[in-house]
Amino acid sequence: LDQEQKQLQLKAVPALDVMKAQTEVATRQQDLTVSKATLQLQQSLMKAALTKQLDQTLEEMPVIPTIQLDAFQPEHIPPVEQLIDNAIKNRPDLNILQLQQDSAEISRKSVRNAMLPTVNLIGYYSGYGLGGAPNPNYAPPPNPVTQSTSYAGTLQNAFNNTSPDYLAEIQVQIPLRNRQARADQFRSELEFRRAEINVVQQKKNLRILVRNAAYALEQGQARVEAARKARDLAQKTFDIKRQEQQLGAGSNFETLTAEHDLAIASSTLA
């Protein structure tokens, strides 16, 4: 602006260029004021997040970044089906729904088995060993069993099938018109179907989310690449306009406009 005013006094530039430069300076001052206010607000929020209490000294201290962000490099995006498979394997809420479905299936099978007939086969066999001195008042049968009077003989009689005891039994249970069990079966079927539908719905939603995220990532990389090219083009345009102004072939307004476009392009890329 000062150069334009000096050139105006020397009648080297028209008054319209000076007015354009004054308008541009006023706009830049307004943008600078808004940017300073936004920067102070963001610094205050950052300090409030990092400290317990804010005092006047800490509020007046500026925040100076010590690490510069590296240039963005586009990443290779795996196939969408591979991303979906990884999401299905590593999604905790889907694993919980899978466990609920497995639990519902076990309950359904248990209730269903309770409606089926049951058959129990029971077998029992044992042997007794008798021993000791016979009772003198006892009248033996015609063919009495020889009883041993020693401990070894008694133990032998327990295993030589002389006094066996055995049992064979078959139990058959057939449920007839068990309304409570049938109601439990219907309830377990409904719970299993609901759990199965929840798993299918969650997988379908997960596939949509992964596809949308992959598309958004591709679009974001394309926008970053476009912003980088726009920044480079704005940088070249600014260098050309500045050289033209230094050689007297361009105006200060054109240089300020090119610098403004460069600042906008750099802000968009950041």
Side-chain angles (χ1 to χ4, degrees), residues 113-125:
N113 291 335
M115 295 290 296
L116 299 177
T118 58
V119 178
N120 297 325
L121 178 61
I122 302 174
Y124 172 79
Y125 176 83

Side-chain angles (χ1 to χ4, degrees), residues 11 17 22 38 63 94 102 104 120 125 158 160 195 223 227 260 262:
K11 305 299 181 179
D17 291 346
Q22 290 176 350
T38 304
V63 177
L94 183 59
D102 296 340
N120 297 325
Y125 176 83
N160 60 6
R223 286 195 295 267
H260 181 264
L262 177 59

Side-chain angles (χ1 to χ4, degrees), residues 23-38:
T23 304
E24 185 67 23
V25 169
T27 304
R28 296 292 183 86
Q29 288 178 351
Q30 180 182 0
D31 296 340
L32 180 60
T33 303
V34 175
S35 300
K36 287 182 178 180
T38 304

Side-chain angles (χ1 to χ4, degrees), residues 18 22 30 42 45 78 101 107 112 118 131 181 183 187 193 212 223 243-244 255 257 259 263 265:
V18 178
Q22 290 176 350
Q30 180 182 0
Q42 296 299 326
L45 295 176
Q101 181 184 1
S107 299
R112 184 179 180 182
T118 58
R187 179 181 55 80
R193 296 303 179 187
N212 291 337
R223 286 195 295 267
Q243 292 178 0
E244 290 179 352
T255 304
T257 302
E259 185 179 4

Side-chain angles (χ1 to χ4, degrees), residues 55-235:
D55 52 6
Q56 184 178 1
T57 304
L58 184 60
E59 289 182 353
E60 294 177 354
M61 294 178 59
V63 177
I64 301 175
T66 58
I67 299 176
Q68 299 293 334
L69 295 178
D70 298 332
F72 174 78
Q73 298 295 334
E75 297 182 359
H76 173 69
I77 302 177
V80 179
E81 293 298 330
Q82 181 179 354
L83 296 176
I84 292 175
D85 294 339
N86 293 335
I88 291 176
K89 293 179 181 178
N90 302 321
R91 193 65 180 255
D93 51 353
L94 183 59
N95 294 333
I96 292 174
L97 293 178
Q98 289 281 7
L99 292 176
Q100 292 178 356
Q101 181 184 1
D102 296 340
S103 177
E105 186 177 3
I106 294 173
S107 299
R108 185 190 65 164
K109 292 181 179 179
S110 177
V111 174
R112 184 179 180 182
N113 291 335
M115 295 290 296
L116 299 177
T118 58
V119 178
N120 297 325
L121 178 61
I122 302 174
Y124 172 79
Y125 176 83
S126 65
Y128 293 94
L130 301 178
N135 188 353
N137 298 325
Y138 172 71
N143 296 319
V145 179
T146 304
Q147 298 181 356
S148 175
T149 59
S150 63
Y151 177 79
T154 303
L155 184 62
Q156 182 180 2
N157 291 335
F159 294 96
N160 60 6
N161 200 23
T162 56
S163 299
D165 186 10
Y166 50 86
L167 173 66
E169 181 180 356
I170 297 178
Q171 296 179 357
V172 179
Q173 296 180 359
I174 302 176
L176 299 175
R177 301 180 62 85
N178 193 343
R179 298 184 183 275
Q180 182 178 359
R182 189 174 296 275
D184 293 339
Q185 183 182 10
F186 290 158
R187 179 181 55 80
S188 63
E189 288 288 344
L190 292 176
E191 292 178 352
F192 174 74
R193 296 303 179 187
R194 183 176 59 183
E196 188 177 14
I197 291 174
N198 291 336
V199 172
V200 174
Q201 185 68 27
Q202 184 67 18
K203 288 183 178 180
K204 183 171 65 176
N205 295 337
L206 190 59
R207 294 179 68 90
I208 296 175
L209 290 176
V210 172
R211 289 186 181 276
N212 291 337
Y215 296 153
L217 180 58
E218 292 180 358
Q219 294 175 1
Q221 290 182 354
R223 286 195 295 267
V224 170
E225 189 64 24
R228 178 184 299 174
K229 292 181 180 179
R231 195 273 311 272
D232 296 339
L233 180 61
Q235 181 68 44

